[in-house]
Amino acid sequence: MKTPNASLLSLIISLLSLISWATSAHTHEDFLQCLSLHFPNSNSISKVIYTPYNSSYQSILELEIRLERFLPPAPIPRPLIIITPLVESHIQAAIYCSKKHGMQIRVRSGGHDYEGLSYISYQGPFVMVDLVNFQSINIDVENRTAWVQAGATIGQLYYTIAQKSPTLGFSAGVCPTVGVGGHFSGGGYGMMSRNYGIAVDNIIDARLIDVNGRILDRKSMGEDLFWAIRGGGGASFGVIIAWHIKLVQVPKNVTVFTVNRTLEQNATKIVHKWQYVSEKIDEKLLLRLFLGKANSSQDGKETVQASFVTLYLGGVDTLLPLMQQSFPELGLVRSDCIEMSWIDSILYFSGVSGSPLDILLNRTSLVTYSGSYFKGKSDFVTEPISETGLESIWRTVLEYPEDIEMELSPYGGRINEISESGTPFPHRAGTLYMIHYGVTWTEAGKSALNRNMRAIRRFYSFMTPYVTKNPRSAYLNYRDLDLGVNNKGNTTSYEQASIWGLKYYGINFKRLVHVKTKVDPGDFFRNEQSIPTL
């Protein structure tokens, strides 16, 4: 057995002298000793391990917490230790020692999990593995593929692709600071999804460290596990360290537009028609719709505004006749449209048009909900909502003092061509659009938190008649613990987990449970909404 060097023992002793947690100091000593014995270079341990009394612990923890309601002084569980691995063997050591000493692992790639489950655990002492140092991206222009490490953001990925080719891109989300590790494993809807599918539809290989510390690729992990991590959430099955993705062809110029219509500008009829058009229109066109409060131009009172935020993979000369034929109710005119490169459209949808492209490399500057508190939920719609139903929704939105917004993302095209069991992401044929609900507020304190949480939950309940049923479906990447949670420990039954699992995964949930049982029978990789074992 290798003996830790004197400086390392001194570090361990100094760390232990400062830690005051519910578990015994002996457990911590054993855990740190274990890490020192299994790190490839024990001298590097001080560079990648942080405890609550390290001067850098708080800044490392908060650096990629994207939701204000999880920042201190919020009374939430904090990691016992943060590990920022530099090499894959650091992750292997963290898994081995966590298993040996009864600790859980949480893995953070971007920090956007809506419930903070990449850096929070309500189920006991845990270690956070932060993949912030795993940001390598290698583009193969000739074969139109890329390897991207799980700690990179989609903004970094988009930027790197654009530096290599003006006519290649990737189909994923619009928020540049989202980490690819979680985003890809949960689905990955974005502005090109109707034409190219979502992110998981364009993943061709992966590297994953399993519960036994083995580094697996698609061939060695097998098709069942490879299927599971593409939409089933990677955190249930191991630590995903890299994705191999298929890049997509983008035209030299795309067209974007944002058109706003209030109730006084016939928004009800336009939105009603949108439901019949957006899923069937040319798949190169994605008509995203945002609904929320605005001031009326007529009397200054509050009204509801519909904002059509759109990407077309082509030029304005082709777009205008297409819109005139399929959706004349919107009244799109040439002056509404802007032609630009695909990479510039990423800046446009991020709200920073005209900024230098390297802003996409900044992991903090483009966080969607920065500076405000936020709670999100999701739904899917398979039948158009009537005009009467829409009017009822408008009245309810205006009755709420809280700012509740809805984002309607159309399906159709390539998304719906793939079988609902082709990946764990089941929301395919028959889906018209997805609804994302969000409530944001700036007032700190428990009272404001409770008031806004109650508001979005009431509104979600109000929407029940208009959305999918049996189950009422939800999108994993908009994680919502209101749907149900697992028990502490590995005691959650299939039936209990089905309460939330069927909402995210539909008919795929049972297969995910079987894969989980096979690859992680002891349920080591678990969280409040992880796939259970049989």
Side-chain angles (χ1 to χ4, degrees), residues 219-237:
K219 182 178 180 180
S220 56
M221 76 175 70
E223 287 302 305
D224 280 347
L225 180 52
F226 184 63
W227 172 85
I229 62 175
R230 290 176 298 134
S236 294
F237 303 99

Side-chain angles (χ1 to χ4, degrees), residues 421-481:
S421 59
T423 69
F425 181 90
H427 318 292
R428 303 287 187 172
T431 299
L432 294 182
Y433 56 91
M434 173 175 61
I435 303 178
H436 172 270
Y437 310 96
V439 59
T440 58
W441 67 99
T442 56
E443 180 186 350
K446 188 173 182 180
S447 175
L449 171 67
N450 291 339
R451 184 173 66 251
N452 283 275
M453 296 290 272
R454 283 196 303 268
I456 194 168
R457 287 164 179 161
R458 288 199 312 269
F459 189 77
Y460 179 78
S461 178
F462 162 79
M463 290 294 295
T464 302
Y466 306 113
V467 299
T468 53
K469 300 171 181 64
N470 302 317
R472 182 174 182 175
S473 300
Y475 179 30
L476 178 63
N477 277 355
Y478 299 148
R479 191 190 298 279
D480 183 5
L481 293 186

Side-chain angles (χ1 to χ4, degrees), residues 7-22:
S7 62
L8 178 59
L9 283 173
S10 176
L11 169 67
I12 292 171
I13 292 169
S14 65
L15 293 179
L16 290 172
S17 68
L18 295 171
I19 295 175
S20 176
W21 288 71

Side-chain angles (χ1 to χ4, degrees), residues 122-142:
Y122 301 98
Q123 300 189 340
F126 71 104
V127 174
M128 184 182 83
V129 175
D130 191 333
L131 298 179
V132 67
N133 295 317
F134 278 66
Q135 300 181 29
S136 173
I137 301 170
N138 293 305
I139 309 295
D140 183 342
V141 174
E142 183 178 354

Side-chain angles (χ1 to χ4, degrees), residues 291-530:
L291 300 168
K293 295 178 186 177
N295 290 326
S296 171
S297 59
Q298 294 184 3
D299 54 16
K301 295 182 179 179
E302 283 191 326
T303 186
V304 171
Q305 178 175 277
S307 298
F308 298 85
V309 181
T310 299
L311 172 69
Y312 176 63
L313 296 172
V316 65
D317 290 335
T318 309
L319 172 62
L320 286 174
L322 173 62
M323 288 292 292
Q324 184 58 41
Q325 178 182 0
S326 301
F327 197 17
E329 292 82 359
L330 185 60
L332 184 73
V333 296
R334 183 176 290 270
S335 59
D336 295 323
C337 304
I338 310 171
E339 285 190 356
M340 60 179 61
S341 67
W342 169 75
I343 192 63
D344 283 331
S345 78
I346 301 298
L347 300 182
Y348 177 85
F349 295 120
S350 301
V352 289
S353 287
S355 299
L357 285 180
D358 61 8
I359 195 173
L360 296 174
L361 301 177
N362 191 314
R363 297 176 68 92
T364 59
S365 64
L366 297 175
V367 178
T368 305
Y369 301 106
S370 179
S372 60
Y373 300 89
F374 170 79
K375 167 67 178 176
K377 301 175 79 69
S378 63
D379 262 321
F380 288 85
V381 175
T382 55
E383 297 290 337
I385 302 172
S386 67
E387 288 190 34
T388 301
L390 291 174
E391 289 168 349
S392 179
I393 293 171
W394 309 154
R395 287 194 298 272
T396 304
V397 168
L398 292 172
E399 286 170 1
Y400 277 71
E402 297 82 11
D403 290 324
I404 294 177
E405 295 184 343
M406 303 167 66
E407 175 186 320
L408 281 57
S409 298
Y411 276 53
R414 179 60 180 158
I415 305 176
N416 291 20
E417 292 171 0
I418 296 172
S419 162
E420 65 178 322
S421 59
T423 69
F425 181 90
H427 318 292
R428 303 287 187 172
T431 299
L432 294 182
Y433 56 91
M434 173 175 61
I435 303 178
H436 172 270
Y437 310 96
V439 59
T440 58
W441 67 99
T442 56
E443 180 186 350
K446 188 173 182 180
S447 175
L449 171 67
N450 291 339
R451 184 173 66 251
N452 283 275
M453 296 290 272
R454 283 196 303 268
I456 194 168
R457 287 164 179 161
R458 288 199 312 269
F459 189 77
Y460 179 78
S461 178
F462 162 79
M463 290 294 295
T464 302
Y466 306 113
V467 299
T468 53
K469 300 171 181 64
N470 302 317
R472 182 174 182 175
S473 300
Y475 179 30
L476 178 63
N477 277 355
Y478 299 148
R479 191 190 298 279
D480 183 5
L481 293 186
D482 293 347
L483 303 180
V485 295
N486 294 337
N487 295 328
K488 291 186 178 181
N490 53 356
T491 61
T492 303
S493 68
Y494 174 84
E495 289 73 20
Q496 180 182 345
S498 295
I499 295 171
W500 57 263
L502 293 175
K503 293 178 171 65
Y504 289 136
Y505 308 114
I507 65 169
N508 299 316
F509 183 60
K510 182 175 289 188
R511 182 179 174 187
L512 286 168
V513 171
H514 281 283
V515 175
K516 169 71 171 182
T517 304
K518 179 181 178 182
V519 303
D520 183 18
D523 198 20
F524 171 70
F525 290 110
R526 65 181 185 270
N527 59 49
E528 286 73 8
Q529 282 188 344
S530 58

